[in-house]
Amino acid sequence: MPSSLPTLEIFTDCTCPWCYFMSRRIARLKNEYNIQIRRRMFPFRSDTPQDGLSLAACFSDDPLVVKERMRSLKETAEAMGLPFGSPEMIYNSRSAQELGLWAESKGKGDAFLQALYVAYFVDSRNIAKISVLSDVAVSVGLPAEEVEKILKAGAYREPVDRDWAMAEEMKILVLPTFMLNRDRLVGAQPYHKLQRLMEKSGAVTKIG
C-alpha cells in the first residue's frame, strides 16, 4: 500500500467493549476509503494482574450496577449484530497488544484482533495467558510455538511502550480515539461521523 495514503490512527485495546463494537465500522472504512489504518496500543487497565480482576472490583462496589452495565453492553452488541457473552473479569492485555503487532507484521493483524475480541467478549477467556494467546494465534494461521518466544524476547515491547507514551503525551482518555491528520474523533461513533472525518481530512473513496 502506497505510503502517500492518509493514515487513520486508532488508539485502542482488545478489552475495550466500544473498540469491539466499532470493529465492523472500521473494516467498512478500510473497504470504502483509500486509507491506511494504524492501531495504537493504549494502557487500558494496565495495572490489572495476570489472573484478572472482577468487573465489580474494577468499576463499582455494587454488583447490580455492574450487571446493568453488562446488560446494556449486550444489548448494544446485539443491535450491531455482534456476539457477546457474559464476561465477569477484566484481564491484563499487555501481552495481547505485543502479539497484535507481531500478527500485523505477518499480515494477520485484523484477524488476530477479531479473534481476541471473540476470546474475551464471547468466550470470557483470560487473554493474559500464553495458552489462550497461542490458541488465538493458531485460529488465524499463526504458529503457536512463536507466541512465548515473541513475548520472552520482548520483540514488540518497545513499539507498545512508544504507543503508551504517545497516548499520555496526547492526553488520550477515551477509547477508541480516531486521529486523521490533526483531526480527532473520540469514542464509539456512528458511521456518518467517521465518513465526515475522512472527507474533512481529504481521504477519497475507492472506485467501484
Side-chain angles (χ1 to χ4, degrees), residues 137-180:
V138 168
S139 75
V140 299
L142 292 169
E145 62 272 14
E146 291 296 312
V147 169
E148 189 168 3
K149 292 178 183 177
I150 291 292
L151 294 175
K152 283 188 174 180
Y156 294 88
R157 188 178 301 143
E158 288 188 9
V160 172
D161 284 343
R162 287 197 294 270
D163 282 354
W164 284 20
M166 180 183 293
E168 182 177 4
E169 180 182 348
M170 301 187 73
K171 294 180 172 55
I172 304 296
L173 300 175
V174 175
L175 296 183
T177 289
F178 303 88
M179 298 187 64
L180 188 54

Side-chain angles (χ1 to χ4, degrees), residues 48 51-60 66 88-90:
T48 304
D51 290 335
L53 285 174
S54 70
L55 293 176
C58 287
F59 299 112
S60 172
V66 174
E88 297 180 354
M89 304 283 288
I90 189 165

Side-chain angles (χ1 to χ4, degrees), residues 23-34:
S23 60
R24 288 186 178 175
R25 293 174 187 172
I26 293 168
R28 182 179 171 186
L29 280 179
K30 193 174 181 179
N31 286 332
E32 293 184 357
Y33 287 86
N34 287 307

Side-chain angles (χ1 to χ4, degrees), residues 44-108:
F44 189 65
R45 294 281 171 178
S46 59
D47 57 347
T48 304
Q50 294 298 103
D51 290 335
L53 285 174
S54 70
L55 293 176
C58 287
F59 299 112
S60 172
D61 292 328
D62 186 347
L64 292 178
V65 172
V66 174
K67 185 176 181 179
E68 177 61 24
R69 287 180 179 176
M70 295 308 295
R71 184 193 63 78
S72 178
L73 289 174
K74 189 174 183 67
E75 288 178 353
T76 299
E78 289 174 351
M80 292 182 167
L82 292 169
F84 196 88
S86 301
E88 297 180 354
M89 304 283 288
I90 189 165
Y91 298 110
N92 193 302
S93 60
R94 172 68 195 221
S95 293
Q97 290 186 358
E98 293 184 19
L99 289 172
L101 295 182
W102 166 61
E104 190 174 301
S105 75
K106 302 296 184 182
K108 300 278 189 175

